[in-house]
Amino acid sequence: MPSLAGMPAEQIIESMMAFKKGTRPAIIMDRVSRGYTDDEIKTMAYFFTKQPLKQWDDTTLAESVAAQAAGSIGAPK
Amino acid sequence: MSQLENKTFDQKVTRRDLIKLFGASAVAASGIFGASSQAFAKSAAHVVILGGGIGGSTFAKYLRFADADVKITIIEQYPEYITCLRSNDVIAGMHTLDELTFNLETIKSKYHVNVVIDTVVGADFNKKTVRTAKGDNFSYDKLVVSPGIDFKFEDYEGYDAELAATDFPHAYKAGPQTLKLREQMLNMRQGGTAIIAPPQNPFRCPPGPYERASFFAEYFKKHNPTAKLIVLDPKERFTKDVPFKKAWERLYGYKSDNALIEWVAGSEGGRVVRLDAATKTVETDGGDFKADLINIIPNQRAGVLAQKLGLTNASGWCSIDRYSMESELHKEVYVLGDSAIADAMPKSGFSANSQAKVCAKAVADTLKGKNLEDPVYANVCYSLAGENYGVSIAAVYEVRDGLIQPKGESAGVSEVTELTAQPILESVYQKNWQRQFVKDVFS
């Protein structure tokens, strides 16, 4: 799954517009994109593009919990 | 990057603008608005949060993003919190309770939040203080209450909290009852009958009972193929019923002669009115049903603390100002999550998280003497109709005509298509969502 942080704004806007129009296959983003105006989508895109590029954190839930236990991302058990 | 220089997009966007826009979980912590390193000034406002679940924890974190200097205290009854979301997975054996258990240590250390493990016994809204069982008093400038739900056992003759804690678990707050229900499902005799009785609206996690029903059917299909699950429902419809019933047809023979699952609507006598624990029989408007396993998920009202503090109205829930989540009954007291009346928004963890972000911004703005802005809320609920078969409902919300209502054309459930990859992807997305969501809430 692509990470939004650091993604070029134009790419985010194009994707959101395509989800909105129904020209890009979607699971959830068809509905979510239809909740925002074009201006709101641009505002978000511009926010995300300014964030440091970050790889999608593809951990399992068990790994997340283990990382939490180690104190790196969250609450130790 | 060229688009950074493009004037069309070149507008200043703060984290708070984003929180306002999304009302969603997408704004991850990146330290833009970290806590002030200075000790809190004596003059700093004190915001006290009652309840360290999804609403309370999210609120504390996002209030810190919005205000580096405010003093924040969470008072929570239990040192650990088990998320109700995905607890049906524990019944199905896909997760352990440990994997759903969180505490407030990270919220405390990373966001400079004072965490008190104690039980609140009362509040004085005039003096703006709350009192705990250990005898401590906390003064607040703003009080935020996120107390979850309580069960209306009185709607069922013969059913009570004691039976729920022993042989008839409702398992609708994650914990020992969740494990008990799993054990009962695993130990049910071959060819036996199980009953799940969902509550009347409104209630926590509207798809929860139907996801649970799906997991029972999936387990029976593999390990007890002559067993049957009967869903006795007081309602005529339920959330995502179209994709759920399609999944039941595809996976569990719903409506066939060999159906593993049967759903009885209220008009067909589905409403349970009585439990006879001794004979394991439930009485409905349509007659008696005897079963080997009975899971009544009781009707609900706002959490006990909301009732005790006088925050509920005649409906049993808490009416709130839609722009801020401030109680309509008591000024400077805010109610988040399942206890709040949020109109079209379902009572979900996602909703509580979204409301907490809106409320954090409203509280921060109010403390700074700023006007409130129009909020945007969001909710997405993924459910599993089988381990690898997901269905979803989603909407973005705004306040319109005084009510929280879907914004744009966003509201909708999963379309039923012939694409086999779709429900598989929904189930994958659900797992990713859960992982990111609990991080957004607790770390």
Side-chain angles (χ1 to χ4, degrees), chain B residues 88 92 185 196 207-221 229 231 238 243-245 247-248 251-252 260-261 383-387 389 391:
Chain B
N88 279 333
M185 182 185 76
I196 292 179
Y210 311 96
E211 177 181 81
R212 180 177 292 179
S214 305
F215 284 167
F216 269 70
E218 187 170 53
Y219 178 81
F220 291 162
K221 189 178 175 179
L229 172 73
V231 182
F238 57 89
F244 259 120
K245 286 177 178 175
W248 293 349
L251 301 173
Y252 314 123
L260 289 157
I261 184 167
S383 306
L384 296 181
E387 187 173 356
Y389 192 115
V391 297

Side-chain angles (χ1 to χ4, degrees), chain A residues 3-13 41-54, chain B residues 1-5 9-11 13 18:
Chain A
S3 171
L4 290 174
M7 184 185 281
E10 280 155 17
Q11 193 183 336
I12 297 176
I13 293 165
I41 287 170
K42 286 175 187 168
T43 307
M44 288 179 211
Y46 192 61
F47 172 86
F48 282 120
T49 200
K50 287 196 291 189
Q51 304 311 309
L53 186 66
K54 190 170 169 277
Chain B
M1 284 183 283
S2 64
Q3 68 273 14
L4 292 183
E5 287 141 28
F9 302 141
D10 191 11
Q11 39 189 312
V13 183
L18 253 287

Side-chain angles (χ1 to χ4, degrees), chain B residues 257-429:
Chain B
D257 292 343
N258 303 318
L260 289 157
I261 184 167
E262 185 187 332
W263 178 74
V264 183
S267 59
E268 297 162 343
R271 186 176 69 116
V272 170
V273 295
R274 196 174 72 89
L275 168 70
D276 186 335
T279 61
K280 285 197 177 171
T281 304
V282 292
E283 183 187 326
T284 75
D285 293 333
D288 288 355
F289 289 79
K290 195 168 161 44
D292 300 277
L293 184 165
I294 296 170
N295 175 220
I296 297 174
I297 303 168
N299 295 336
Q300 295 162 25
R301 62 186 153 225
V304 171
L305 186 60
Q307 300 168 43
K308 204 190 283 182
L309 298 182
L311 295 168
T312 51
N313 67 18
S315 72
W317 303 96
C318 305
S319 60
I320 46 104
D321 175 282
R322 274 76 175 168
Y323 292 89
S324 63
M325 306 299 294
E326 185 172 11
S327 166
E328 290 189 323
L329 301 180
H330 294 286
K331 286 283 145 204
E332 307 197 275
V333 181
Y334 298 74
V335 183
L336 302 178
D338 293 344
S339 280
I341 299 171
D343 310 316
M345 285 186 94
K347 298 186 183 302
S348 69
F350 198 123
S351 289
N353 173 271
S354 177
Q355 292 162 8
K357 290 168 183 173
V358 166
C359 184
K361 184 174 189 304
V363 167
D365 284 350
T366 305
L367 287 171
K368 287 171 184 165
K370 291 189 197 166
N371 291 328
L372 295 184
E373 294 175 51
D374 292 346
V376 176
Y377 300 93
N379 177 68
V380 174
C381 290
Y382 291 103
S383 306
L384 296 181
E387 187 173 356
N388 298 308
Y389 192 115
V391 297
S392 61
I393 185 167
V396 179
Y397 299 90
E398 64 185 345
V399 183
R400 213 166 54 246
D401 306 326
L403 297 173
I404 300 176
Q405 301 194 51
K407 182 171 180 291
E409 299 295 312
S410 59
V413 301
S414 305
E415 258 183 79
V416 172
T417 71
E418 293 306 311
L419 301 168
T420 51
Q422 183 198 332
I424 297 173
L425 276 174
E426 295 241 29
S427 72
V428 171
Y429 281 29

Side-chain angles (χ1 to χ4, degrees), chain A residues 4-45:
Chain A
L4 290 174
M7 184 185 281
E10 280 155 17
Q11 193 183 336
I12 297 176
I13 293 165
E14 271 173 31
S15 302
M16 288 293 277
M17 294 304 175
F19 282 135
K20 217 171 158 177
K21 287 187 201 122
T23 53
R24 178 172 168 166
I27 294 299
I28 198 82
M29 288 307 295
D30 50 345
R31 289 162 274 168
V32 173
S33 61
R34 292 199 298 264
Y36 296 104
T37 65
D38 295 358
D39 281 346
E40 287 169 337
I41 287 170
K42 286 175 187 168
T43 307
M44 288 179 211

